[in-house]
């Protein structure tokens, strides 16, 4: 049963990809969706058996490598962490498959699309179910490759090509660091199996652990789009909307978070790395929220929201609250998939328009889509008792209860970010659904709600976005819950759940601060974009400072400009230089081109010697005679010179009196001979 | 020919099923929020932090 969870999506991908012509569009859709549906049912059973009943499953499938020092097998491990994340992955993926039936119904390459979608799901499952770092790396690379294919699905569009290449190269940078981390793990622990590595961690030097954790963090930062490796994620919105929902809600970006949660025993013994993770996570959350504040592309707003929420997850990991990070990952998967799919429904029904400034008034045309977007947005901004609230609010409380610099930093930035999140979420709602219609009349004429294949996933995800947090919060993050058992490790010194629960009783304002910020952001947004839409334009036009702030946030802190200016341009120049001057240059100069050129030059020089003047010939004969005398007498000459000086330092570096000096003499002769040849 | 050009604005307004679904979903969400607020609101606001309201007893302990 457990292997079927992974194999079914893989088989679906192979059948759609290789037998697409035979099974046709409908066959591909039926096979993919039914395979994913069965996998979802199986993961639910696995969640019951492994998660709730607490019986972990290890499947040692077959040996892969078995050499003296290294033994790697195709090992799959189903523990509480695996099944919890697997639940989100498979539920979201299945719903996205169903959604894609209608969304891409007019696409001529549906089989290819479904093949990629299923392959991506299979890759993600290999990643989270892998029983050692090597199998995990296979899944990691598989989703890297398939994400490139999915982002570049419309491969005739140059923007898709650019976005895919950016995502791929940036992720390769992270993968390089991560693979170095794996080498370091092997060097330190002589094993790549989770159980062996994690059981040895307390006995290993903290410095070694920190270095390993830093390398793995590099991979996680790239995959989970945290600063400074974040810029690929907004660009990848060029992909079809179901791809954005799959990649940026439940799967690709959560891989980095999964990696860090999985290596919790390592991280718990490297406090410096935890501090770095907290700082990066908090900064990313704030930075991405401010970037999303003034974007105008519907999907990009949600993309920046994703980066911001990934920052929250990193923040929770940095605070050693891995169970809270996991719960936020799972919650985020549901409400973010809902937001992306809702945005897709809007875009699809509104003549593929993505600019929120050219929308407005859609609440009357798309009431169901409006409601699901509202549910998703309210869950995202942690409205009390919706799904997002149970994890996001807890992260901030946990940050406050650390009583440390990093904790306070995370709490302040996280609280401000909550307000900004509310602002951009309701800016989106206002501009798309509430405010005055800003699009041409023709756009509204054909606007209509989607059919059942689109509506059904939206409804199901909405229900998850409302109820999931409440139902599962006690299981995942409740005080005294032993749900995760050995799947994650929190050092006793880092447990602060009780502290978080009661530390804010003395000052309830601090507990309510994120909610108050959210309320303020929400009302401000409705005021500025719905009630008085001209006020923001007047403000930015009249005050240059505000205009500059607007441009700065809209330009995403000019990160792309800086990257283009300093990294990409210089990188391209370096690559060109290496290609032309080192690779091809060396081959050209030392290879056939250089040799032939040298021989031609040599021939020309020799030809010039034949001047026809007798005195020149006499000079040649004299020089040749001197050279011959030198050749015959040079051993005597050098030995006498060496003895005459009697100072070892003066000629000591010349190995003239030893047997090894023969080579040197030969070298001197060759140099002198070459000089003669070149002179003439 | 089945019908000709009719002047004016004739959008595809949503059917009753969509309207009902949207209202039902929105109502479910708000009902749940307010129901939980009734159950756990005091705890959230810090007035009744030690109360055990997990069994739906909104009146607290009388013992």
């Amino acid at each position: 049963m457990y292997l079927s969870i992974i194999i079914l999506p893989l088989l679906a991908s192979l059948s759609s990809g290789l037998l697409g012509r035979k099974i046709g569009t409908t066959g591909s859709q039926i096979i993919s969706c039914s395979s994913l549906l069965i996998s979802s049912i199986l993961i639910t059973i696995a969640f019951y058996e492994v998660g709730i009943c607490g019986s972990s499953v290890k499947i040692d499938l077959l040996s892969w490598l078995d050499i003296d020092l290294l033994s790697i097998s195709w090992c799959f491990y189903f523990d509480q962490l695996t099944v919890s994340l697997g639940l989100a992955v498979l539920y979201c993926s299945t719903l996205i498959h169903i959604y894609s039936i209608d969304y891409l119904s007019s696409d001529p390459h549906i089989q290819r699309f479904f093949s990629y979608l299923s392959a991506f799901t299979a890759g993600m499952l290999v990643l989270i179910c892998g029983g050692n770092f090597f199998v995990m790396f296979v899944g990691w690379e598989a989703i890297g490759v398939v994400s490139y294919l999915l982002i570049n699905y419309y491969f005739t569009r140059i923007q898709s090509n650019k976005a895919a290449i950016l995502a791929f190269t940036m992720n390769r940078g992270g993968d390089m660091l991560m693979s170095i981390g794996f080498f370091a793990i092997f060097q330190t622990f002589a094993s790549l199996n989770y159980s062996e590595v994690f059981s040895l961690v307390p006995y290993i030097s903290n410095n070694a652990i920190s270095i390993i954790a830093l390398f793995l963090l590099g991979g996680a930062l790239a995959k989970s789009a945290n600063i400074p490796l974040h810029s690929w994620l907004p660009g990848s919105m060029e992909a079809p909307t179901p791809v954005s929902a799959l990649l940026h809600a439940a799967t690709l970006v959560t891989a980095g978070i999964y990696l860090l949660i999985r290596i919790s025993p390592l991280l718990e013994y490297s406090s410096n790395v935890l501090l770095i993770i907290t700082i990066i996570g908090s900064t990313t959350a704030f930075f991405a929220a401010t970037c999303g504040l003034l974007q105008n592309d519907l999907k990009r707003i949600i993309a920046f929201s994703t980066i911001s929420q990934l920052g929250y997850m990193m923040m929770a990991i940095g605070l050693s609250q891995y169970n809270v990070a996991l719960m936020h990952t799972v919650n985020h998967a549901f409400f973010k998939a809902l937001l992306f799919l809702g945005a897709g429904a809007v875009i699809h029904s509104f003549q593929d328009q993505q600019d929120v400034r050219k929308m407005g008034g859609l609440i009357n045309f798309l009431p169901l889509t409006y409601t699901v977007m509202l549910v998703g947005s309210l869950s995202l901004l942690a409205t009390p008792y919706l799904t997002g609230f149970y994890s996001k609010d807890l992260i901030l409380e946990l940050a406050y209860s650390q009583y440390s610099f990093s904790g306070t930093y995370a709490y302040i930035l996280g609280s401000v970010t909550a307000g900004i999140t509310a602002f951009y979420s309701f800016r989106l709602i206002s501009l798309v659904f509430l405010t005055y219609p800003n699009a041409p009349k023709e756009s509204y004429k054909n606007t209509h709600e989607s059919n059942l294949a689109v509506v059904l996933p939206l409804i199901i995800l909405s229900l998850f976005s409302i109820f999931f947090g409440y139902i599962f919060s006690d299981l995942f993050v409740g005080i005294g819950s032993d749900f995760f058992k050995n799947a994650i490790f929190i050092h006793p010194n880092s447990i602060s759940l009780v502290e978080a629960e009661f530390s804010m009783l003395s000052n309830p304002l601090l507990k309510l601060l994120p909610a108050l910020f959210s309320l303020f952001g929400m009302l401000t947004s409705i005021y500025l974009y719905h009630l008085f839409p001209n006020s923001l334009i007047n403000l930015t036009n009249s005050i240059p400072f505000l205009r500059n702030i607007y441009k700065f946030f809209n330009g995403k802190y000019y990160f792309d400009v800086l990257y283009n200016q300093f990294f990409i341009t210089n990188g391209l120049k370096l690559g060109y230089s290496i290609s032309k001057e080192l690779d091809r240059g060396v081959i050209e100069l030392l290879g056939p081109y250089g040799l032939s050129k040298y021989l031609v030059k040599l021939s020309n020089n020799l030809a010039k010697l034949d001047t026809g003047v007798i005195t020149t010939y006499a000079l040649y004969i004299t020089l040749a005679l001197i050279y011959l005398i030198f050749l015959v007498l040079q051993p005597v000459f050098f030995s006498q010179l060496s003895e005459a000086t009697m100072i070892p330092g003066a000629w000591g570096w010349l190995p003239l009196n030893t047997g090894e000096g023969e080579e040197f003499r030969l070298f001197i002769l060759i140099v002198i001979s070459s000089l003669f040849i070149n002179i003439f | 020919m089945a019908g000709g050009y009719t002047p004016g604005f004739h959008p595809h307004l949503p059917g009753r099923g969509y309207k009902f679904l949207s209202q039902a979903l929105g109502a479910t969400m708000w009902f749940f929020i307010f129901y939980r607020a009734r159950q756990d609101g005091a705890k959230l606001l810090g007035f009744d932090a030690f109360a055990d309201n997990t069994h739906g007893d909104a009146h607290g302990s009388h013992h």
Side-chain angles (χ1 to χ4, degrees):
Chain A
M1 182 190 92
Y2 286 90
L3 281 180
S4 307
I5 294 169
I6 304 168
I7 290 170
L8 278 171
L10 187 64
L11 288 178
S13 168
L14 291 175
S15 58
S16 296
L18 301 177
L19 305 171
R21 281 166 183 261
K22 298 282 181 195
I23 60 177
T25 304
T26 314
S28 163
Q29 290 168 343
I30 290 171
I31 290 172
S32 300
C33 292
S34 48
S35 301
L36 266 291
L37 200 61
I38 296 167
S39 273
S40 297
I41 294 166
L42 294 178
I43 196 79
T44 311
I45 299 168
F47 184 78
Y48 172 73
E49 285 186 357
V50 176
I52 295 172
C53 298
S55 55
S56 303
V57 174
K58 186 179 181 186
I59 301 169
D60 217 341
L61 201 60
L62 51 100
S63 176
W64 185 1
L65 269 178
D66 197 2
I67 51 178
D68 275 353
L69 288 172
L70 183 62
S71 175
I72 296 170
S73 60
W74 279 99
C75 175
F76 294 98
Y77 189 57
F78 292 82
D79 62 358
Q80 289 76 11
L81 176 57
T82 302
V83 291
S84 304
L85 196 56
L87 207 69
V89 169
L90 273 167
Y91 281 13
C92 287
S93 185
T94 306
L95 293 172
I96 289 162
H97 272 73
I98 295 168
Y99 179 93
S100 304
I101 292 173
D102 181 65
Y103 195 85
L104 277 97
S105 56
S106 56
D107 195 279
H109 306 291
I110 290 174
Q111 292 97 320
R112 182 163 62 88
F113 185 76
F114 273 86
S115 173
Y116 290 165
L117 275 190
S118 304
F120 192 88
T121 312
M124 190 67 199
L125 288 168
V126 169
L127 192 156
I128 62 173
C129 297
N132 55 49
F133 286 108
F134 222 86
V135 176
M136 186 182 78
F137 195 59
V138 171
W140 187 280
E141 290 303 309
I143 61 168
V145 172
V146 184
S147 68
Y148 169 81
L149 295 171
L150 280 170
I151 295 168
N152 204 15
Y153 179 69
Y154 297 129
F155 56 81
T156 50
R157 294 177 57 206
I158 189 74
Q159 288 301 333
S160 298
N161 304 154
K162 284 160 73 177
I165 290 169
L166 178 65
F168 196 67
T169 45
M170 207 160 254
N171 275 299
R172 290 288 74 72
D175 295 357
M176 182 189 69
L177 292 174
M178 200 178 77
S179 52
I180 295 171
F182 290 161
F183 285 122
I185 287 174
F186 179 67
Q187 168 70 23
T188 313
F189 298 94
S191 174
L192 286 172
N193 293 329
Y194 293 149
S195 50
E196 289 163 24
V197 171
F198 296 152
S199 59
L200 289 172
V201 168
Y203 309 104
I204 304 294
S205 147
N206 272 7
N207 292 337
I209 299 291
S210 296
I211 289 167
I212 290 169
L214 274 177
F215 279 124
L216 298 184
L217 175 65
L221 288 182
K223 207 56 122 186
S224 290
N226 270 247
I227 283 178
L229 300 170
H230 65 280
S231 59
W232 65 270
L233 198 146
S236 64
M237 292 299 118
E238 293 299 328
T241 308
V243 175
S244 305
L246 183 67
L247 266 60
H248 307 131
T251 52
L252 183 70
V253 292
T254 62
I257 303 295
Y258 166 78
L259 171 70
L260 294 182
I261 297 174
R262 175 58 80 192
I263 60 163
S264 59
L266 273 165
L267 291 178
E268 282 302 282
Y269 286 93
S270 49
S271 53
N272 293 337
V273 180
L274 285 175
L275 177 71
I276 292 169
I277 293 173
T278 312
I279 301 289
I280 289 177
S282 316
T283 311
T284 303
F286 178 76
F287 157 78
T290 48
C291 286
L293 202 61
L294 299 165
Q295 293 300 309
N296 296 316
D297 186 304
L298 180 55
K299 282 171 72 181
R300 275 176 200 260
I301 295 170
I302 305 172
F304 276 108
S305 154
T306 302
I307 301 177
S308 181
Q309 297 305 308
L310 289 164
Y312 274 107
M313 293 168 210
M314 281 282 177
M315 193 193 293
I317 290 168
L319 299 168
S320 297
Q321 308 303 321
Y322 305 98
N323 52 343
V324 187
L326 180 72
M327 182 159 187
H328 196 55
T329 308
V330 175
N331 292 349
H332 174 259
F334 292 126
F335 60 69
K336 194 47 65 66
L338 175 65
L339 282 173
F340 269 119
L341 295 186
V346 172
I347 293 164
H348 204 52
S349 64
F350 206 59
Q351 295 188 330
D352 292 333
Q353 180 61 260
Q354 291 189 204
D355 193 332
V356 289
R357 294 168 299 183
K358 297 175 183 171
M359 294 180 177
L362 286 176
I363 186 170
N364 297 316
F365 301 90
L366 308 170
L368 183 62
T369 312
Y370 162 72
T371 309
V372 298
M373 291 289 280
L374 185 69
V375 171
S377 299
L378 287 175
S379 194
L380 166 71
L381 57 93
T383 304
Y385 311 115
L386 295 186
T387 292
F389 167 75
Y390 287 95
S391 49
K392 191 172 163 183
D393 202 57
L394 187 59
I395 291 172
L396 295 177
E397 287 178 17
L398 285 162
Y400 179 78
S401 66
Q402 298 280 317
Y403 305 119
S404 62
F405 164 72
S406 60
T408 311
Y409 181 79
Y411 175 75
I412 293 171
L413 282 190
S415 299
V416 175
T417 304
I420 299 171
T421 306
F423 185 90
Y424 67 67
S425 296
F426 270 82
R427 175 178 178 264
L428 188 152
I429 295 274
S430 298
L431 286 173
V432 175
F433 293 104
L434 302 179
T435 194
Y436 302 104
N438 291 317
K441 195 167 74 176
E442 288 305 310
S443 301
Y444 290 94
K445 267 187 176 175
N446 294 317
T447 303
H448 55 86
E449 283 283 13
S450 311
N451 66 19
L452 187 68
V454 169
V455 167
L456 190 68
L458 292 177
I459 298 279
I460 294 171
L461 286 169
S462 297
L463 294 175
F464 275 110
S465 300
I466 297 170
F467 297 114
F468 185 86
Y470 172 66
I471 295 168
F472 285 91
S473 64
D474 274 346
L475 193 70
F476 281 10
V477 296
I479 292 178
S481 169
D482 66 340
F483 174 74
F484 286 105
K485 295 189 171 65
N486 290 332
I488 57 173
F489 171 68
I490 302 177
H491 196 280
N493 292 342
S494 307
I495 294 172
S496 58
L497 203 56
V498 179
E499 189 69 28
E501 191 74 14
F502 298 110
S503 64
M504 293 181 162
L505 288 180
S506 56
N507 194 352
L509 186 65
L510 284 173
K511 186 178 171 68
L512 293 174
L513 196 63
L516 292 176
F517 275 138
S518 295
L519 192 66
F520 177 72
M522 200 165 75
L523 294 175
T524 313
S525 180
I526 291 173
Y527 175 83
L528 287 175
Y529 288 99
H530 179 44
L531 300 177
F532 301 99
N534 288 331
S535 56
L536 190 68
I537 299 168
N538 294 337
L539 270 176
T540 48
N541 278 345
S542 56
I543 305 171
F545 176 70
L546 285 180
R547 188 176 178 78
N548 288 336
I549 292 275
Y550 187 100
K551 280 161 69 179
F552 185 65
F553 286 155
N554 189 257
K556 296 168 269 180
Y557 289 50
Y558 302 125
F559 247 97
D560 292 340
V561 178
L562 290 174
Y563 275 158
N564 283 336
Q565 188 70 30
F566 293 108
F567 291 101
I568 295 176
T569 313
N570 288 337
L572 279 174
K573 277 181 187 168
L574 182 68
Y576 184 79
S577 303
I578 289 170
S579 160
K580 285 298 287 183
E581 290 162 21
L582 285 181
D583 291 350
R584 284 179 63 192
V586 166
I587 292 167
E588 282 175 6
L589 288 177
L590 299 182
Y593 174 76
L595 199 63
S596 62
K597 197 175 176 185
Y598 179 74
L599 287 174
V600 168
K601 190 183 170 190
L602 187 66
S603 313
N604 286 336
N605 286 344
L606 283 173
K608 280 179 193 168
L609 294 177
D610 190 12
T611 55
V613 181
I614 190 83
T615 49
T616 313
Y617 293 147
L619 178 66
Y620 295 160
I621 292 165
T622 313
L623 284 173
L625 202 60
I626 292 168
Y627 177 64
L628 271 175
I629 291 166
F630 176 76
L631 203 66
V632 172
L633 297 179
Q634 58 89 16
V636 182
F637 173 72
F638 276 121
S639 61
Q640 282 191 354
L641 195 65
S642 179
E643 286 165 11
T645 54
M646 296 298 286
I647 305 166
W651 296 94
W653 59 276
L654 283 173
L656 300 174
N657 292 326
T658 60
E660 293 157 7
E662 292 302 321
E663 289 88 0
F664 185 76
R665 287 197 193 98
L666 193 64
F667 173 73
I668 293 286
L669 285 179
I670 290 167
V671 170
I672 293 168
S673 310
S674 326
L675 278 172
F676 268 91
I677 289 166
N678 275 305
I679 286 166
F680 296 111
Chain B
M1 269 178 71
Y5 172 75
T6 50
F9 182 54
H10 302 290
H12 298 279
L13 290 171
R16 271 188 292 181
Y18 288 109
K19 283 183 181 171
F20 171 75
L21 264 177
S22 68
Q23 286 176 358
L25 189 64
T28 306
M29 179 184 73
W30 289 116
F31 173 76
F32 181 71
I33 289 173
F34 288 120
Y35 177 72
R36 290 312 322 160
R38 184 168 169 270
Q39 298 289 316
D40 297 340
K43 189 183 168 194
L44 176 72
L45 294 171
F47 300 140
D48 196 11
F50 294 93
D52 178 15
N53 289 330
T54 52
H55 303 296
D57 179 11
H59 304 294
S61 172
H62 296 289
H63 301 293

